[in-house]
Amino acid sequence: MTSTTPTSASASKTTEDPRLDVAAVGEQLMGRWADARRVSRELATNPQLHKVEGMPVPEHRERTFQNMFELVKTGAVHRAFPSRLGGSDDNGGNIAAFEELVTADPSLQIKAGVQWGLFGSAVLHLGTKEHQDTLLPGIMDLSVPGAFAMTETGHGSDVASIGTTATYDPSTQEFVINTPFRAAWKDYLGNAALHATAATVFAQLITNGVNHGVHCFYVPIRDENRAFLPGIGGEDDGVKGGLNGIDNGRLHFDHVRIPRTSLLNRYGNVDEDGTYTSSIESPGRRFFTMLGTLVQGRVSLDGAAVAASKVALQIAVTYANQRRQFNAASDIEEEVIMDYQRHQRRLIPRIARTYAGAFSHEELLVAFDGVFSGEKDTEEGRQDLETLAAALKPTTTWDAMSTLQEAREACGGAGYLAENRFTGLHSDLDVYTTFEGDNNILLQLVGKRLLTDFSAQFKGAKPADLARYALRTGAEQILARTGLRALGQDAADTGSEKRTANYLKDPEVQRALLTERVEVAIGEIGRALASVAKASPAEQAAAFNSHQEELIQAAHMHARLLQWEAFTRGLESVKDADSLKVLTWVRDLFALTTIEDELDWFLMNGRLSVQRARTLKEYVNRLITRLRPHAQDLVDAFGYTQAHLRAPISSGAEQIRQDEAAEYYRHLRADPESPVDERVLVKRRRAEAKAARR
Amino acid sequence: MTSTTPTSASASKTTEDPRLDVAAVGEQLMGRWADARRVSRELATNPQLHKVEGMPVPEHRERTFQNMFELVKTGAVHRAFPSRLGGSDDNGGNIAAFEELVTADPSLQIKAGVQWGLFGSAVLHLGTKEHQDTLLPGIMDLSVPGAFAMTETGHGSDVASIGTTATYDPSTQEFVINTPFRAAWKDYLGNAALHATAATVFAQLITNGVNHGVHCFYVPIRDENRAFLPGIGGEDDGVKGGLNGIDNGRLHFDHVRIPRTSLLNRYGNVDEDGTYTSSIESPGRRFFTMLGTLVQGRVSLDGAAVAASKVALQIAVTYANQRRQFNAASDIEEEVIMDYQRHQRRLIPRIARTYAGAFSHEELLVAFDGVFSGEKDTEEGRQDLETLAAALKPTTTWDAMSTLQEAREACGGAGYLAENRFTGLHSDLDVYTTFEGDNNILLQLVGKRLLTDFSAQFKGAKPADLARYALRTGAEQILARTGLRALGQDAADTGSEKRTANYLKDPEVQRALLTERVEVAIGEIGRALASVAKASPAEQAAAFNSHQEELIQAAHMHARLLQWEAFTRGLESVKDADSLKVLTWVRDLFALTTIEDELDWFLMNGRLSVQRARTLKEYVNRLITRLRPHAQDLVDAFGYTQAHLRAPISSGAEQIRQDEAAEYYRHLRADPESPVDERVLVKRRRAEAKAARR
């Protein structure tokens, strides 16, 4: 999108304000898998599936488990499985539907994710057709509840270093699964404390004296009475900060023997005699290929986080448009709290972020479906998908936490009541920031990919090219750091705020600023690391570490750029002119608050002059004022009903209370018998005294 | 403090690193009321008082209630009450002891706060000696559990606008307490759902046809069987986001009659015939005087928030110093996670903030004790105390939320287990940001006070002075905005990073930068508001609203300045040279990360040149690296023991697990029979192939 967006038109003062087409924008937000989403939203209105705040942990666990059968019954969780087994080979639709369950109970969502998205997916993606045909039916109908036993107490982020071993014994054609020390206990596994009767266990595969790295094994762990099988033990992880409908637990294995065929051997096989073979020669690439099949966890958390942000904002904005507090401008009527600048600043940029998150998630989902449907399943496609997921999941899960917290505080004491949803969603979604890949580690992965792309530019470059590049960069740096580059901006603007505002709302300018933020930072880090390329590993590690913070921040800004691009592409599909106008302001607000958060960088790197930076801040305020009348429409377009929101403060009860109170005071003012306010008497006395003195 | 702090000495490279005197610094942090704190810390080790995560709400409520009697028995909650009634007239010690209860169970702390700090304090401070003598004994020994019925569903922040009325009936010499509409129900009251048998009820006092504004009344609400008395009703607020050991609820009154003497009449009295008298003539000042007696709630939350941050950091840093993940620099040993730059960035600046919070809280406590002991009870002293509390409480409660969340994420999945404390403390402390004064409203109060002080400068000034001021300010602004002022800095530094670093660690520079941040912003807002001083009230309100965000931010920066000053004064008492050196770095880090957070402002207002800003960022990194070896000492000085922390991840268990795993791999490496890593084989094969080709 460039010329199609009437950004310049939107700045001209219109006599009539545009109005968002809530239904049409809502439909666009539902995305390609709108039908699956709608079915899931309908399902999520079932009170039996709803989280009951304050329910004791054992009851919540049992309720969640029972509700899983409801998901099976309604066919809510089989979309991704093969048609031949009763699924519908619909990867995108499966994730879309899954995400919407967050409004019912995040515990139900994540417990379902463990069973069908992790445990089932491991069999589906790491096993062969035989594994699928024999194991998936029981997994799909929940007759075999399972755990996904990857993480250990000692290793979460660094999966390659897990300690559990699976040693092949050719004499019996069995693998021996063993936990060699306490830190190698499997830990934090959903379903492991109570319900799982089997597990997909990740372990170091050892055969013929060689460790071939981490592979996945299907291991029965409990008998029909839910007692551990011989050699297997475990512990309950106990109460968690949230998601207490899920029975997380630990598992350990004391030389547990499983048949050779229990290795999920799609990417690596052990023959009867113990010979290891794999279609992927490089052990590193093999490991990442196996892990890559599980990217859907990250994809779905990105979407669930956006859904939770939508719920929070729909509740908080609705309340803020009804709630009144303080007589700021009139003695008679208190102000609606949404009219306070601070309140707008707290909520409206978060609406913009949530739209950006929704548009970028939809693109992620399309990319995911492309790879997993096989349509676009290339090595590059997979890598891009993984990078995209690794960039977006941290960004939206952190946004959700920040939005839920701000929304809760924006509703004061009422926001702290569990019935109003914020606190429960915050507690449940908290762990989304560290599971399925710790957010910081994921962003570091993105940063490393950006560094690789950066250095790929110079692959095969001649020394002269490199020298020229260094020279150009050096000159650019001097220009930027001295502020000379930015001074040129002021000359171009000739002090005109309007000209600067026009500059800032030009999408190409926004794109350039957001892109430069990433590229300049990556270039600086890349050059710094290149300068120690021949140093010792320890020195290289130290150099990398000294740029870790910058690298993660650059990756985060890369995610914002991706979100901005998705938002901007999303605008191309908006048909209604009014809606386009409003959503373009939202996109501009997203871009400019993102830049504002990093304004020091843009100033220090000469990307914005002081004058432009000042105008940016003023323009952000203006955009927020402009969007304030559209806040309700914008959150209504998220499309959740009272059956999803279930927050008394956004039910309309506040408006009824306000109307009743206003009516009472109207009567009081009209009644000559009403008490007089002492402050009025004081004023009157003073006026009389003054008159008497004259 | 200026010359006593050897900031320049600390920069010189010493061959031997300084070491913090943990015991001495710990003792200093205990502050003036160390004894009361110690007694309370000891009490807080009693397992009976500890929060049990996952305990169902009804049980938690009952347990908390029973534990209140334990507090009575041990004399933990009577320090602030008059000696003649068995207290010890010790206001500072009372708050210090109260704060430490947060480590046991925040519900117990806040329920105690409701009973003795709010309900009891209302009688103590708003009642006469007679009220105290008759009512306090039952409150003190908990034979009369009570609620503090100020907030209503419709009015929290704006107490002056509550709807409950207390109309005097001279015919029976009674007040009639009445709730005129639903929004005037009392709400969110601790103890109100179950335990309270009486309440201090705030209502509009009406007598002889005049409304004299909000006053406080003592009202029995339940009989001995905990049934509501006639005319009184209520509701349970239900499950909350945290603090579920407290039974919050709603109350409403249907023309409930109470004796005339139930008015807590220290600041306003109604005679038998209905004549109203007050020692404070102005209704506004009277209202704020009455509310001001309740400032201790804010004071104690400031301290409790700092205590919770200390607990979080002591747990997270201890774990980060034992936990290892990823082989960053060596194939053999994984890195301790505290050695990663990002991890340091997440935790070490928060240690600095917590120290700043501790030093500023101690000064707040001293100010509070000065006023409430009567030693320094002046109008100005009270106003300063209220402004100080209104500035610090928002700052430290938000810091606590941010620290608890970051600490939880920094500990990954383990951080999400309730046993490791972060999530429970986060849930419980969440409401500290909006109760006892919403943080945003409190900061706005501070901002208004700063604006008043700003305009007071010009009171009685001659027009010529004002013109001169305007001229000076105008010139200053031009100098700042064009960047010319900052360009001068670069000339002064002559490109020397060392010179800039010396500049940045000069406490007078830090003070000047932090002060300017507040003063310039307040000056700008003040001038903008002065320009509409003669406009309509609605226009004035609109102008104020358009600066609300800036005003609140300026107030927040004012709080940071106050914290910086307290920290800097605190350094004066540090005797040990090594400790002084380390703590000076901590103070510098606090100052510079505070400035870094607002770096765009300093750049845009010409307070820092781009070059200095760059050096500031680099110097912050250097300070963090320098402080990294002291991180454990710094958190150990907080002085909490395992009985307070109670987090398995900081118990030493992680170190034992790490040692066991390291031992296992040591044996594996030494054993020639151990499996070889496939990656090693691949490398070996490649090397052999290369050799064969030669």
Side-chain angles (χ1 to χ4, degrees):
Chain A
M1 98 101 223
T2 44
S3 53
T4 54
T5 316
T7 37
S8 48
S10 68
S12 68
K13 284 196 178 128
T14 51
T15 45
E16 211 169 315
D17 270 341
R19 186 77 201 264
L20 196 81
D21 183 338
V22 173
V25 171
E27 192 54 36
Q28 185 177 353
L29 287 176
M30 294 293 278
R32 184 182 294 186
W33 290 274
D35 290 341
R37 243 178 240 289
R38 248 186 292 273
V39 169
S40 192
R41 283 196 181 190
E42 178 57 32
L43 178 65
T45 63
N46 178 355
Q48 175 54 36
L49 302 187
H50 294 166
K51 182 179 181 189
V52 179
E53 292 290 347
M55 181 177 271
V57 174
E59 285 172 51
H60 190 193
R61 285 176 167 192
E62 185 56 28
R63 176 183 172 96
T64 309
F65 188 45
Q66 292 311 322
N67 282 336
M68 301 264 283
F69 291 97
E70 185 67 22
L71 297 183
V72 171
K73 218 171 62 188
T74 55
V77 283
H78 294 158
R79 291 179 184 85
F81 291 102
S83 306
R84 69 173 192 282
L85 297 172
S88 43
D89 293 303
D90 178 5
N91 290 282
N94 178 58
I95 298 293
F98 171 83
E99 289 160 10
E100 297 293 341
L101 293 180
V102 78
T103 71
D105 182 352
S107 283
L108 178 62
Q109 180 188 46
I110 298 302
K111 197 170 165 90
V114 169
Q115 174 69 15
W116 295 290
L118 291 171
F119 175 58
S121 274
V123 172
L124 177 63
H125 295 300
L126 301 178
T128 55
K129 186 170 172 297
E130 247 177 81
H131 287 124
Q132 295 171 357
D133 291 346
T134 52
L135 300 174
L136 284 183
I139 293 174
M140 287 168 70
D141 71 9
L142 201 54
S143 54
V144 183
F148 180 77
M150 177 150 48
T151 295
E152 297 176 353
T153 305
H155 288 94
S157 299
D158 184 7
V159 175
S161 298
I162 56 171
T164 305
T165 53
T167 310
Y168 185 64
D169 177 356
S171 70
T172 61
Q173 301 194 17
E174 287 171 321
F175 283 103
V176 183
I177 309 282
N178 192 49
T179 306
F181 46 82
R182 173 61 188 83
W185 282 26
K186 297 294 177 183
D187 207 345
Y188 315 115
L189 318 176
N191 291 341
L194 290 177
H195 300 135
T197 59
T200 45
V201 178
F202 290 77
Q204 306 284 350
L205 187 158
I206 297 162
T207 179
N208 286 339
V210 177
N211 181 344
H212 291 280
V214 175
H215 287 65
C216 186
F217 302 82
Y218 186 88
V219 186
I221 61 167
R222 282 194 176 88
D223 63 21
E224 59 277 13
N225 303 317
R226 288 200 191 153
F228 278 125
L229 295 173
I232 297 174
E235 264 179 9
D236 194 321
D237 272 326
V239 183
K240 305 187 299 296
L243 294 185
N244 277 308
I246 310 171
D247 53 316
N248 290 72
R250 308 183 176 109
L251 293 176
H252 51 84
F253 303 88
D254 182 9
H255 299 88
V256 173
R257 290 181 165 265
I258 54 168
R260 182 183 65 92
T261 51
S262 293
L263 166 64
L264 299 175
N265 57 344
R266 178 158 162 198
Y267 295 104
N269 185 47
V270 172
D271 282 348
E272 292 178 10
D273 68 354
T275 305
Y276 180 84
T277 51
S278 169
S279 55
I280 306 174
E281 202 187 352
S282 152
R285 206 159 70 77
R286 191 190 310 139
F287 172 73
F288 285 111
T289 302
M290 288 198 266
L291 253 63
T293 60
L294 304 164
V295 71
Q296 68 176 344
R298 291 168 193 171
V299 175
S300 63
L301 294 187
D302 179 55
V306 172
S309 290
K310 287 175 179 171
V311 168
L313 288 167
Q314 213 176 330
I315 296 170
V317 170
T318 302
Y319 182 65
N321 271 326
Q322 296 175 5
R323 174 76 174 176
R324 289 173 182 275
Q325 200 81 177
F326 286 110
N327 298 79
S330 131
D331 278 348
I332 291 173
E333 199 174 42
E334 296 168 297
E335 303 300 308
V336 157
I337 59 175
M338 195 71 211
D339 281 337
Y340 289 106
Q341 187 191 41
R342 176 71 163 181
H343 218 80
Q344 294 167 11
R345 266 274 177 181
R346 294 164 79 181
L347 297 180
I348 295 179
R350 288 184 165 85
I351 297 176
R353 249 175 212 185
T354 303
Y355 269 83
F359 282 113
S360 54
H361 174 66
E362 180 66 12
E363 292 199 352
L364 174 60
L365 204 51
V366 169
F368 165 75
D369 189 74
V371 167
F372 278 74
S373 68
E375 262 178 58
K376 287 173 187 170
D377 187 6
T378 61
E379 176 64 24
E380 204 195 342
R382 283 196 177 252
Q383 275 191 23
D384 285 349
L385 168 64
E386 280 165 38
T387 307
L388 191 59
L392 295 181
K393 179 263 185 183
T395 306
T396 50
T397 54
W398 273 330
D399 281 350
M401 289 298 281
S402 151
T403 297
L404 283 161
Q405 184 63 31
E406 197 68 54
R408 125 70 197 126
E409 292 180 31
C411 297
Y416 195 56
L417 299 188
E419 63 180 19
N420 288 319
R421 305 291 307 280
F422 306 120
T423 57
L425 283 169
H426 188 282
S427 296
D428 289 334
L429 267 77
D430 184 355
V431 77
Y432 290 26
T433 63
T434 54
F435 72 4
E436 295 291 312
D438 177 277
N439 280 0
N440 283 293
I441 307 285
L442 289 179
L443 287 178
Q444 181 169 293
L445 277 178
V446 174
K448 284 182 172 175
R449 170 80 187 264
L450 293 171
L451 282 173
T452 307
D453 291 353
F454 168 80
S455 52
Q457 289 178 58
F458 306 115
K459 241 187 196 163
K462 286 174 201 142
D465 297 335
L466 287 177
R468 236 191 323 273
Y469 174 82
L471 203 67
R472 204 176 60 223
T473 319
E476 162 67 18
Q477 290 293 27
I478 289 164
L479 205 63
R481 293 193 185 184
T482 53
L484 288 174
R485 194 184 131 129
L487 282 179
Q489 293 184 348
D490 287 346
D493 296 347
T494 57
S496 157
E497 275 187 37
K498 199 178 163 201
R499 206 165 304 180
T500 307
N502 281 335
Y503 167 82
L504 291 171
K505 70 191 177 209
D506 179 344
E508 288 315 317
V509 167
Q510 294 172 10
R511 188 199 307 275
L513 288 170
L514 292 171
T515 304
E516 281 187 322
R517 172 65 185 88
V518 180
E519 286 188 350
V520 171
I522 293 294
E524 280 183 6
I525 301 166
R527 277 188 300 279
L529 297 183
S531 73
V532 294
K534 291 184 178 162
S536 72
E539 280 169 307
Q540 286 192 45
F544 182 85
N545 196 36
S546 73
H547 293 284
Q548 192 190 23
E549 175 77 13
E550 287 163 55
L551 184 67
I552 289 175
Q553 186 54 16
H556 182 58
M557 290 306 287
H558 177 67
R560 292 293 186 205
L561 170 62
L562 296 173
Q563 291 190 314
W564 181 90
E565 286 175 340
F567 199 153
T568 301
R569 276 189 290 268
L571 291 179
E572 290 174 23
S573 313
V574 180
K575 303 272 184 317
D576 173 60
D578 268 18
S579 300
L580 180 58
K581 196 178 274 191
V582 176
L583 288 179
T584 302
W585 294 337
V586 177
R587 193 275 320 271
D588 290 349
L589 183 64
F590 172 70
L592 299 181
T593 49
T594 301
I595 293 167
E596 192 184 22
D597 286 347
E598 296 266 306
L599 202 50
D600 58 343
W601 187 92
F602 289 95
L603 287 160
M604 286 164 67
N605 287 274
R607 262 64 190 179
L608 286 173
S609 69
V610 164
Q611 196 50 56
R612 283 197 174 167
R614 280 185 178 269
T615 304
L616 183 140
K617 282 188 166 279
E618 283 156 21
Y619 191 58
V620 164
N621 279 339
R622 237 194 301 157
L623 272 175
I624 289 174
T625 308
R626 199 178 280 164
L627 283 169
R628 187 265 169 269
H630 306 282
Q632 191 69 50
D633 286 347
L634 285 165
V635 297
D636 285 348
F638 296 150
Y640 290 111
T641 66
Q642 291 301 324
H644 302 106
L645 303 179
R646 304 193 297 283
I649 45 167
S650 68
S651 67
E654 179 64 21
Q655 191 59 56
I656 293 168
R657 282 194 294 265
Q658 292 289 342
D659 293 344
E660 186 200 358
E663 184 63 18
Y664 166 82
Y665 285 113
R666 223 177 342 261
H667 276 290
L668 221 55
R669 280 192 302 273
D671 182 357
E673 300 292 302
S674 296
V676 189
D677 194 303
E678 186 190 344
R679 287 169 297 186
V680 175
L681 288 184
V682 169
K683 268 188 210 159
R684 208 178 289 166
R685 265 203 306 271
R686 275 191 202 139
E688 285 165 5
K690 207 170 165 185
R693 277 199 304 273
R694 270 188 203 140
Chain B
M1 98 101 223
T2 43
S3 54
T4 53
T5 318
T7 38
S8 49
S10 67
S12 67
K13 282 195 179 128
T14 49
T15 44
E16 211 168 317
D17 271 339
R19 186 77 202 264
L20 196 80
D21 183 336
V22 173
V25 171
E27 191 54 37
Q28 186 178 352
L29 288 176
M30 294 293 277
R32 184 183 295 186
W33 290 275
D35 289 341
R37 245 179 237 289
R38 248 186 291 273
V39 169
S40 192
R41 284 195 179 191
E42 178 57 32
L43 178 64
T45 63
N46 178 356
Q48 176 54 36
L49 303 186
H50 294 165
K51 182 179 180 189
V52 179
E53 293 289 347
M55 180 177 272
V57 174
E59 285 172 52
H60 190 193
R61 285 175 167 192
E62 185 56 29
R63 177 185 172 95
T64 308
F65 188 45
Q66 292 311 322
N67 281 337
M68 300 263 284
F69 291 97
E70 186 67 23
L71 297 184
V72 172
K73 218 172 62 187
T74 55
V77 284
H78 294 157
R79 290 180 184 85
F81 291 103
S83 306
R84 68 172 193 281
L85 297 172
S88 43
D89 293 303
D90 177 6
N91 289 283
N94 178 57
I95 298 294
F98 171 83
E99 289 160 10
E100 297 294 340
L101 293 179
V102 78
T103 71
D105 182 353
S107 283
L108 178 62
Q109 180 188 46
I110 298 302
K111 197 170 165 88
V114 169
Q115 175 69 16
W116 296 290
L118 291 171
F119 174 59
S121 274
V123 172
L124 177 63
H125 295 301
L126 302 178
T128 54
K129 186 169 174 295
E130 245 176 84
H131 286 123
Q132 295 171 357
D133 290 347
T134 52
L135 300 174
L136 285 182
I139 294 173
M140 288 169 71
D141 71 9
L142 201 53
S143 53
V144 183
F148 180 77
M150 177 151 41
T151 296
E152 296 176 355
T153 305
H155 287 93
S157 298
D158 184 6
V159 175
S161 297
I162 56 171
T164 306
T165 53
T167 310
Y168 184 64
D169 177 356
S171 71
T172 60
Q173 301 194 16
E174 287 171 322
F175 283 103
V176 183
I177 309 284
N178 192 49
T179 307
F181 46 82
R182 173 61 187 83
W185 282 26
K186 297 294 176 183
D187 208 344
Y188 315 114
L189 319 176
N191 291 341
L194 291 178
H195 300 135
T197 59
T200 45
V201 178
F202 289 77
Q204 307 284 350
L205 188 159
I206 297 163
T207 180
N208 287 338
V210 177
N211 181 344
H212 292 279
V214 175
H215 287 66
C216 185
F217 303 82
Y218 186 89
V219 186
I221 61 168
R222 281 192 176 90
D223 64 20
E224 59 277 12
N225 303 317
R226 287 200 191 154
F228 278 126
L229 294 174
I232 298 174
E235 266 180 8
D236 195 321
D237 272 325
V239 183
K240 305 186 300 296
L243 295 185
N244 277 308
I246 309 170
D247 53 315
N248 289 73
R250 307 182 176 109
L251 292 177
H252 51 84
F253 304 88
D254 182 8
H255 299 89
V256 172
R257 291 182 164 262
I258 55 168
R260 183 183 65 93
T261 51
S262 292
L263 166 64
L264 299 176
N265 58 343
R266 178 157 162 199
Y267 294 104
N269 186 47
V270 172
D271 282 348
E272 292 178 9
D273 68 354
T275 305
Y276 181 84
T277 50
S278 169
S279 55
I280 307 174
E281 202 186 354
S282 153
R285 206 160 70 77
R286 191 190 311 139
F287 172 72
F288 285 111
T289 302
M290 286 198 267
L291 254 63
T293 60
L294 304 163
V295 70
Q296 68 176 344
R298 292 167 192 172
V299 175
S300 63
L301 295 188
D302 179 57
V306 173
S309 291
K310 287 176 179 171
V311 168
L313 288 167
Q314 212 176 332
I315 295 170
V317 170
T318 302
Y319 182 65
N321 271 326
Q322 295 175 6
R323 174 75 173 177
R324 290 173 182 274
Q325 201 79 175
F326 286 110
N327 299 80
S330 131
D331 279 347
I332 291 174
E333 198 174 42
E334 295 168 297
E335 304 301 308
V336 156
I337 59 175
M338 195 71 211
D339 280 338
Y340 290 106
Q341 186 191 42
R342 176 72 162 180
H343 218 81
Q344 294 166 13
R345 266 274 178 180
R346 293 163 80 182
L347 297 180
I348 295 178
R350 287 184 166 87
I351 296 176
R353 247 173 214 187
T354 303
Y355 269 84
F359 281 114
S360 53
H361 174 66
E362 180 67 12
E363 291 198 353
L364 174 60
L365 205 50
V366 168
F368 165 75
D369 189 74
V371 167
F372 278 74
S373 68
E375 262 177 58
K376 287 172 187 171
D377 188 7
T378 62
E379 177 64 25
E380 203 196 342
R382 283 198 176 249
Q383 275 191 21
D384 286 348
L385 168 64
E386 279 166 37
T387 307
L388 191 58
L392 295 180
K393 178 263 186 185
T395 306
T396 50
T397 54
W398 273 330
D399 281 350
M401 289 299 281
S402 153
T403 297
L404 283 161
Q405 184 62 31
E406 196 67 55
R408 124 72 196 124
E409 293 181 31
C411 296
Y416 196 56
L417 299 188
E419 63 180 20
N420 289 319
R421 305 294 306 282
F422 305 120
T423 58
L425 283 169
H426 188 281
S427 296
D428 289 333
L429 266 78
D430 184 355
V431 78
Y432 290 27
T433 64
T434 54
F435 72 4
E436 296 290 313
D438 177 276
N439 281 0
N440 283 293
I441 307 285
L442 289 179
L443 287 178
Q444 181 169 296
L445 276 178
V446 173
K448 284 183 171 174
R449 170 79 187 264
L450 293 172
L451 281 173
T452 307
D453 291 352
F454 167 79
S455 54
Q457 288 178 57
F458 305 115
K459 240 185 193 164
K462 286 173 202 145
D465 297 335
L466 286 177
R468 238 193 321 273
Y469 174 82
L471 203 68
R472 204 175 62 223
T473 319
E476 162 66 17
Q477 290 293 28
I478 290 164
L479 204 63
R481 292 192 186 184
T482 53
L484 287 173
R485 194 184 131 133
L487 283 179
Q489 294 184 348
D490 288 345
D493 296 347
T494 57
S496 155
E497 276 186 36
K498 197 175 163 202
R499 206 164 305 181
T500 308
N502 281 335
Y503 167 81
L504 291 171
K505 70 191 176 208
D506 179 345
E508 288 314 319
V509 167
Q510 294 171 9
R511 188 197 309 273
L513 288 170
L514 293 170
T515 304
E516 281 187 323
R517 172 67 185 87
V518 180
E519 285 189 350
V520 171
I522 293 295
E524 280 183 8
I525 301 166
R527 275 189 300 280
L529 297 183
S531 73
V532 293
K534 291 184 177 161
S536 72
E539 282 168 304
Q540 287 191 45
F544 182 84
N545 196 36
S546 73
H547 293 285
Q548 193 190 23
E549 175 79 13
E550 288 164 54
L551 184 67
I552 289 175
Q553 187 55 16
H556 182 58
M557 290 305 288
H558 176 68
R560 293 294 187 204
L561 170 62
L562 295 174
Q563 291 190 314
W564 180 89
E565 285 175 341
F567 199 153
T568 301
R569 276 190 290 269
L571 291 179
E572 290 174 24
S573 312
V574 180
K575 303 273 184 317
D576 173 60
D578 268 19
S579 300
L580 180 58
K581 197 177 273 191
V582 176
L583 287 179
T584 302
W585 293 337
V586 176
R587 193 276 319 272
D588 291 349
L589 182 65
F590 172 71
L592 299 180
T593 49
T594 301
I595 294 166
E596 192 185 22
D597 286 347
E598 296 267 305
L599 201 50
D600 58 343
W601 187 93
F602 289 94
L603 287 159
M604 287 164 68
N605 287 275
R607 262 63 191 181
L608 285 173
S609 69
V610 165
Q611 196 50 56
R612 282 197 175 168
R614 280 186 178 268
T615 305
L616 182 140
K617 280 186 168 283
E618 284 155 21
Y619 191 59
V620 164
N621 279 338
R622 236 194 301 158
L623 272 175
I624 289 173
T625 310
R626 200 177 279 164
L627 284 169
R628 188 265 169 268
H630 306 284
Q632 191 68 51
D633 286 346
L634 285 165
V635 297
D636 285 347
F638 295 151
Y640 290 111
T641 66
Q642 290 301 323
H644 302 105
L645 304 179
R646 304 192 298 282
I649 46 168
S650 69
S651 66
E654 179 64 20
Q655 192 58 56
I656 292 167
R657 283 193 294 265
Q658 292 289 343
D659 292 345
E660 185 199 359
E663 184 63 18
Y664 167 82
Y665 286 113
R666 225 182 334 266
H667 276 288
L668 221 56
R669 281 191 303 273
D671 182 356
E673 301 293 303
S674 295
V676 188
D677 194 303
E678 186 189 345
R679 287 169 298 184
V680 175
L681 288 184
V682 169
K683 268 188 210 159
R684 208 179 288 164
R685 266 202 304 272
R686 276 191 201 140
E688 284 165 6
K690 205 170 165 185
R693 278 199 302 273
R694 271 189 203 140

